[in-house]
Amino acid sequence: MNKRVRKAVFPVAGLGTRSLPATKAIPKEMLTVVDKPLIQYGVEEALEAGIEDIIFVTGRGKSSLEDHFDHAYELEDTLEAKGKKAELEAVRQVLLEPGRVSYVRQQRPLGLGHAVWCARAFVGDEPFAVLLPDDLMLGQPGALKQMMQVYDKVGGNIVAVEDVPRELTNRYGILDVVSDDGKLARAKGLVEKPAPDVAPSTLSIIGRYILQPEVFTELAKHERGAGGEIQLTDAMAKTIDRVAFHGFRFDGRRFDCGNKLGFIEANIAYALARDDLRDGMNRILKQFA
Ligand code: UTP
């Protein structure tokens, strides 16, 4: 029986330079797709998957993230006084159970691996999930829940993966695959951002992980990798002979909201997925066809 995954880490301390100027004063994770900030989609996906405790690894200028999951008394009072029930419900729905959400600061954005390492005391000695909120996953059930179902069978480390065109391997962590049944691929190695001609495959890691605590031993070494950053991929790669590693192609679509076109595409796809917005969205799209 694999130990249950109860905790989720949301690294949200990055600078979001690819989304500037939008992210000058607003965290990237607070950018809105249709009517919800990216972070809310991620948190809802985690809760759906059975996650009980959440930690945000934040940085300077990210306080709106904390406020989003807290009470907004003036706003709630006003909505209540005006009888705006649906709006009040939408605002209150975002509240997380007291004591179930924590915040830790990554004082300098030294890389994703470093951000995850900042959550080590919160995670302790148990498996945990990592969700990168700028990767938006449209799926039913959500991507993390699908991964949990696989985790129950195979255990170890599991990451969400996607096939990418070979010319794009230098943007992703890439799996060195031993076996692949088209859904689940077992890896014997990982390479962060390999050049297309040396990439061991085109199977790339996207922003959902289920990890065993062994990864912290490697992250604690603070070794710099691609781009001079402390890379999560490198730390996972170093545990691969001790901890089984699988890449899982989830059922659904992933939108990279960390780049501008991906973010626009997500807005269109999420509007089309909504019963209340689909017709209006289709009418708008026809004008641009
Ligand atoms: P990205 O590399 O996409 O985010 O990291 P970024 O650095 O904010 O964006 P760009 O490339 O400059 O546009 C993926 C996730 O990891 C977090 C980010 O906040 C994002 O949610 N992250 C990244 C950290 O928390 N700390 C870091 O040092 C780096």
Side-chain angles (χ1 to χ4, degrees):
M1 186 71 178
N2 297 308
K3 218 169 168 182
R4 211 160 77 76
V5 182
R6 302 183 306 118
K7 298 178 178 177
V9 177
F10 285 84
V12 292
L15 297 177
T17 54
R18 285 170 298 152
S19 308
L20 284 168
T23 45
K24 186 178 169 201
I26 295 171
K28 172 170 69 172
E29 301 79 14
M30 285 300 290
L31 295 179
T32 304
V33 170
V34 182
D35 56 4
K36 279 196 276 192
L38 287 171
I39 189 70
Q40 191 176 336
Y41 289 98
V43 166
E44 287 172 357
E45 185 187 323
L47 296 178
E48 180 208 13
I51 291 296
E52 295 168 4
D53 291 311
I54 285 174
I55 190 161
F56 294 111
V57 182
T58 69
R60 272 182 299 283
K62 302 275 181 170
S63 54
S64 60
L65 265 153
E66 301 187 24
D67 292 340
H68 185 69
F69 293 101
D70 202 349
H71 276 290
Y73 290 109
E74 281 177 35
L75 176 63
E76 289 173 46
D77 285 353
T78 309
L79 292 173
E80 193 137 38
K82 290 190 170 166
K84 298 203 166 202
K85 286 202 178 121
E87 290 80 356
L88 189 60
E89 174 53 28
V91 168
R92 288 199 172 143
Q93 206 195 336
V94 180
L95 290 171
L96 292 170
E97 198 187 330
R100 293 292 193 192
V101 56
S102 317
Y103 301 89
V104 65
R105 280 227 178 184
Q106 182 193 24
Q107 287 113 331
R108 289 166 62 204
L110 298 177
L112 177 59
H114 183 262
V116 171
W117 177 77
C118 289
R120 67 199 179 283
F122 163 85
V123 171
D125 190 25
E126 56 179 287
F128 63 106
V130 177
L131 296 95
L132 308 187
D134 50 345
D135 263 347
L136 199 54
M137 311 294 220
L138 187 60
Q140 199 56 256
L144 189 62
K145 186 162 184 179
Q146 294 181 36
M147 289 169 70
M148 293 283 204
Q149 287 160 358
V150 177
Y151 173 76
D152 284 342
K153 293 185 196 127
V154 300
N157 287 340
I158 302 179
V159 298
V161 291
E162 190 173 82
D163 292 286
V164 293
R166 185 160 277 277
E167 63 271 21
L168 298 184
T169 55
N170 57 2
R171 293 191 195 169
Y172 295 94
I174 299 289
L175 271 62
D176 189 354
V177 174
V178 216
S179 61
D180 186 354
D181 68 6
K183 197 83 196 138
L184 197 63
R186 184 163 181 146
K188 62 175 162 64
L190 307 170
V191 193
E192 183 61 34
K193 300 190 171 65
D197 54 329
V198 294
S201 77
T202 55
L203 208 53
S204 75
I205 301 175
I206 52 178
R208 299 293 180 274
Y209 308 71
I210 293 175
L211 298 176
Q212 301 301 314
E214 281 82 355
V215 76
F216 288 119
T217 315
E218 299 304 328
L219 288 173
K221 296 176 185 165
H222 289 190
E223 283 169 19
R224 306 275 179 149
E229 297 194 345
I230 299 168
Q231 298 285 357
L232 181 58
T233 305
D234 296 344
M236 293 186 303
K238 291 203 180 105
T239 65
I240 222 160
D241 46 2
R242 284 171 279 151
V243 183
F245 193 99
H246 288 93
F248 172 65
R249 295 178 181 86
F250 80 105
D251 275 329
R253 272 193 75 185
R254 167 235 178 202
F255 299 92
D256 177 6
C257 294
N259 88 63
K260 289 172 189 174
L261 280 175
F263 178 68
I264 294 166
E265 192 184 11
N267 270 284
I268 296 170
Y270 274 69
L272 288 173
R274 287 256 301 249
D275 290 341
D276 58 333
L277 299 175
R278 187 175 306 113
D279 291 347
M281 189 72 232
N282 271 321
R283 272 197 299 278
I284 292 169
L285 288 175
K286 274 196 196 114
Q287 295 170 24
F288 292 92

